[in-house]
Amino acid sequence: MTKELTLFTDFISPYAWLAMARLDRMEDRPTTVIKPILFAGLLNHWEHKGPAEIPAKKTFTFQYVKWAAMRDGIDLNMPPNHPFNPLRALRLAIALGASHDVTMKIFRCIWVDGQLPDNETGWTAMKAALDCPDADERIAAPDVKAALRNNGEEAINQGVFGVPTFCVDD
């Protein structure tokens, strides 16, 4: 059994949703430390484009993700816009402790309910789903912003170039 996993993730990734949904189903789920990161930061650091920035790759990715979700019996409804800005969702996850349950609720808001953090309707729905009416104040906290930056730097230092990435902690 793995001692502990670190999961570097961003809510923008449909692959991250599939991985999280499968992790959620595990009966003997390993201890997992979830570290939200900004995928765009990885792309900038490694100087490459994301799948949604390449039209043919975006089409393939979305078709594959829909197929994989159907194969695995995972709820998936593509969000109304993609790419979207996940920053508020990432900071909210950190502000609320980035637990498995918090992370699942945010992923569900986006990838099942189609509520995006970069529009007010979606953001309001997300805050309600997490019972966090003071989310705007929480995500503005300097320590939350710093934690997101630090998670990204840690990921880059470990050679992470995409999301989701699981790292095994010894």
Side-chain angles (χ1 to χ4, degrees):
M1 182 73 167
T2 303
K3 295 177 186 173
E4 186 173 89
L5 294 176
T6 297
L7 170 59
F8 292 103
T9 193
D10 186 339
F11 299 109
I12 198 166
S13 171
Y15 292 110
W17 161 238
L18 293 178
M20 194 68 192
R22 293 200 59 179
L23 185 65
D24 188 55
R25 291 181 175 175
M26 292 177 69
E27 290 181 26
D28 191 19
R29 184 171 58 230
T31 302
T32 306
V33 176
I34 299 170
K35 296 202 174 189
I37 61 172
L38 191 60
F39 181 46
L42 297 180
L43 295 175
N44 289 339
H45 177 80
W46 299 112
E47 298 178 349
H48 67 87
K49 292 182 179 183
E53 297 176 273
I54 303 166
K57 194 170 188 178
K58 180 177 180 176
T59 299
F60 171 82
T61 297
F62 287 174
Q63 289 172 344
Y64 178 80
V65 167
K66 287 179 185 180
W67 173 83
M70 199 166 40
R71 176 197 64 197
D72 295 341
I74 295 171
D75 291 335
L76 173 76
N77 296 305
M78 298 306 287
N81 300 356
H82 197 281
F84 57 87
N85 185 341
L87 191 58
R88 290 198 283 196
L90 293 165
R91 288 180 181 167
L92 183 58
I94 290 169
L96 297 178
S99 69
H100 179 87
D101 291 341
V102 164
T103 304
M104 278 299 293
K105 285 179 183 178
I106 294 172
F107 268 119
R108 281 193 162 284
C109 282
I110 295 167
W111 292 101
V112 177
D113 301 332
Q115 302 297 338
L116 297 179
D118 64 352
N119 70 57
E120 289 312 308
T121 301
W123 180 235
T124 298
M126 193 172 290
K127 292 188 296 186
L130 289 151
D131 192 26
C132 191
D134 63 341
D136 294 294
E137 293 79 24
R138 288 181 181 225
I139 68 169
D143 61 321
V144 169
K145 293 177 180 182
L148 184 59
R149 278 191 305 277
N150 292 340
N151 288 351
E153 290 170 7
E154 180 183 344
I156 288 167
N157 289 337
Q158 290 193 38
V160 172
F161 55 86
V163 291
T165 295
F166 288 93
C167 296
V168 178
D169 296 334
D170 295 322

